[in-house]
Amino acid sequence: MIQVAREMQHRKMDLPLLIGGATTSKQHTALRIANCYDAPVVHVLDASRAAGVVSNLLDPDARPAFDADNRALQANLREIYGSKRRKPLVTLDAARANRLRPSDWPSDAQPDRIGLRHETVPLAEIVPYIDWTFFFTAWSLKGRFPAILDHPDYGEAARELYDNARTMLDQLIADEAIETRIAWGLWPAWSDGDDLVLFDDAARTAEIARFPMLRQQEVKPDAGKPHRSLADFVAPRASGIADHVGAFAVAAGLGVDALVAKHEANHDDYSAILVKSLADRLAEGLAELLHHRARIAWGYGHDEALSKEDLIAERYRGIRPALGYPACPDHTLKGRLWQLLDAEKQAMTLTEHYATLPAAAVSGLYLGHPDARYFAVGKVGRDQVEDYAARLGQTVRETERWLTPVLAYDPEAPEGSAAAQTPRAEKAKTAAPSDGDAVLVGATAAPERRQRTA
C-alpha cells in the first residue's frame, strides 16, 4: 500500500486513495501511507462505508471540509502514535548474541517418512475443525461461538446466519462442489545462523531449501527476554542434532469462483458471499486438520487427546507460522515454499505480489520444538536489512521494498536526514555471551491465531 501511494505521487496523480481491508487501520494509514501522497488518503473501515466516503469526495461542496477533517485526524494520530513507532533498536550483532537458547533439543520427533506429499481431503472431514468464531467476525458479528448464538443484541441474526451456512455447507459436501488440495512434507533440517536449511535426505548431504529469517531488534523492556527469530526453534548445524522442519500449503477454494459466478448471475449476492466465507473457514479448518496429522506423522502427536476447544486454543506442541506475517514478515519467501512443495501441481499459484490463488488457501512452516511460540519481529534496522538482503541474494533496495512495513527507517528519505537513519542502536542489556474516481487498495485476509503475535 505504501508502494502504491509512492508510485501515485511519483506519477503526479491527484485521485483520492482509499485504504481498506482487514489488516489496515487509521493509525497505519496516517503514519505510513498518507505522508507518501499529496492527494486525499482515507482509511475506510469496511466496504459498506466506501459509498459515503466517495460521495463526500465527489461532492465539490463537501470535499474541502471532508478532506480537511481527514487530514486533521491523521495529523492528530501521527502526534499520538508517531513517537511510539520509532523505538530504539539493538544492533543485529547484539540481537543475535541475545538469541533464544532452548534448554534442550528433544529426540522424540522423528518423522515416519521424509519428503513431499500431495493429497486431498473430503470436505466432510474438515467440518469438525472449523472455527466458527472467525466466520461470524467476517460478517461483522463479534463474539465467540457458540455463545454468539445467544447474544442479547444480535443472537437472532447470528442463528439465522449459522443455519444458512450449515445448510449451504451440507449442500457443498453433497454436491462435491468444492475441491481441496494439500501439499506438505517433513524434511531433515538445521538452522544456519538465522537461516532455516532443509535437506532432502537423512544424511543431510543435499540442501533442498533455505529460508532466511529475520530477528527482533527492538529494545526489550524486560531485560530477561531474548531477541527471537524462528531460526531459534531449530537445532543449529553445529549441534549435529537430527532436527526437522515441515512445510505446507492447503486450498479449499477450488470451484468457489464458479459457484460465486452462478449466484451472482442469479443476483444472489448473499449466497455468493456466504460461499466465499465458508471456503475461507474450510481452508483454515483444513490447515488445522493437516497440522494435527503432521504432528502424528512427525512422531510426537500420537498421544494427543484434544477437544475442539483445545485445538482452537492451540494447546498442542509446535507452531505453523505463515510467511508474510508477524514472525516472518517477508511474503517473497512464499516463492521458495512453492518450489519446495511443487504447489502448482496442486492447483495453487502465487501472484506477482505473492498472494495465493485460490484465495481460500493457507500456507506456512511447521516447527515442532516444545518452546516454539508465535511472536512479532517488529521493526528492523538497516544493518539487518543489508544482512538479510545478502542472504536472500537480493539488492538492499528490493529487500526494503518488500519489508517496508517493518523498516525502522525511511529508505526514501534524503540521505543523512533523521528519517533515513535507523533509530539509535543500543547495546543489548541482556546480551548473552557469544477527483471523479478513487483508487482503492485492500489488504489481504485478516491473520488468525497462528499468524498473530504470541
Side-chain angles (χ1 to χ4, degrees), residues 168-386:
M168 178 173 282
L169 182 57
D170 290 342
Q171 193 64 51
L172 293 174
I173 293 171
D175 295 344
E176 299 182 347
I178 294 178
E179 297 181 44
T180 65
R181 292 287 190 276
I182 297 174
W184 75 288
L186 301 168
W187 287 270
W190 280 322
S191 61
D192 181 13
D194 288 346
D195 293 356
L196 298 180
V197 185
L198 280 62
F199 301 89
D200 68 353
D201 63 340
R204 290 166 167 75
T205 55
E207 182 176 316
I208 192 173
R210 179 178 287 260
F211 294 92
M213 292 292 145
L214 291 167
R215 181 173 295 281
Q216 294 174 323
Q217 276 190 273
E218 293 179 352
V219 170
K220 297 289 185 180
D222 184 340
K225 289 196 173 183
H227 289 84
R228 299 174 186 268
S229 168
L230 289 177
D232 296 343
F233 302 128
V234 178
R237 182 189 293 268
S239 71
I241 294 169
D243 209 349
H244 296 80
V245 165
F248 74 97
V250 301
L254 282 79
V256 168
D257 288 345
L259 286 172
V260 169
K262 177 182 176 182
H263 290 305
E264 290 178 341
N266 293 328
H267 306 290
D268 186 358
D269 291 340
Y270 175 77
S271 293
I273 297 172
L274 194 58
V275 167
K276 289 189 280 189
S277 300
L278 283 172
D280 288 342
R281 291 302 90 222
L282 287 166
E284 294 289 350
L286 180 55
E288 195 71 79
L289 179 155
L290 181 62
H291 195 187
H292 183 196
R293 293 183 178 180
R295 294 192 297 273
I296 295 173
W298 204 328
Y300 66 83
H302 290 287
D303 297 329
E304 285 185 355
L306 302 175
S307 66
K308 183 174 181 178
E309 290 71 25
D310 291 331
L311 291 172
I312 291 173
E314 297 175 334
R315 297 190 183 103
Y316 47 74
R317 172 175 155 184
I319 58 175
R320 55 175 189 274
L323 305 179
Y325 286 88
C328 177
D330 184 3
H331 283 278
T332 68
L333 292 181
K334 291 178 192 170
R336 301 185 181 210
L337 181 67
W338 250 240
Q339 282 188 313
L340 173 67
L341 296 173
D342 203 3
E344 291 198 359
K345 284 189 177 179
Q346 286 293 77
M348 290 178 278
T349 60
L350 296 173
T351 71
E352 63 178 329
H353 294 108
Y354 297 95
T356 307
L357 297 176
V362 182
S363 62
L365 301 174
Y366 291 137
L367 302 179
H369 194 282
D371 292 341
R373 298 292 184 272
Y374 297 105
F375 61 91
V377 164
K379 301 298 181 182
V380 296
R382 192 185 297 273
D383 57 347
Q384 180 162 196
V385 173
E386 291 173 351

Side-chain angles (χ1 to χ4, degrees), residues 70-90:
N70 181 62
R71 291 179 188 272
L73 170 65
Q74 292 175 343
N76 186 51
L77 290 172
R78 284 191 288 271
E79 181 70 22
I80 295 172
Y81 296 101
S83 61
K84 295 180 180 179
R85 186 170 62 89
R86 293 183 64 80
K87 297 179 180 179
L89 307 183
V90 302

Side-chain angles (χ1 to χ4, degrees), residues 385 389-390 393-400:
V385 173
Q394 293 180 169
T395 66
V396 172
R397 186 68 192 94
E398 182 181 5
T399 303
E400 287 174 335

Side-chain angles (χ1 to χ4, degrees), residues 384-429:
Q384 180 162 196
V385 173
E386 291 173 351
D387 178 273
Y388 184 67
R391 289 187 283 135
L392 285 171
Q394 293 180 169
T395 66
V396 172
R397 186 68 192 94
E398 182 181 5
T399 303
E400 287 174 335
R401 176 173 177 264
W402 287 104
L403 294 182
T404 296
V406 297
L407 297 181
Y409 61 96
D410 184 358
E412 298 292 329
E415 189 172 352
S417 68
Q421 304 303 313
T422 296
R424 177 171 52 89
E426 298 186 355
K427 239 180 186 179
K429 298 176 183 176

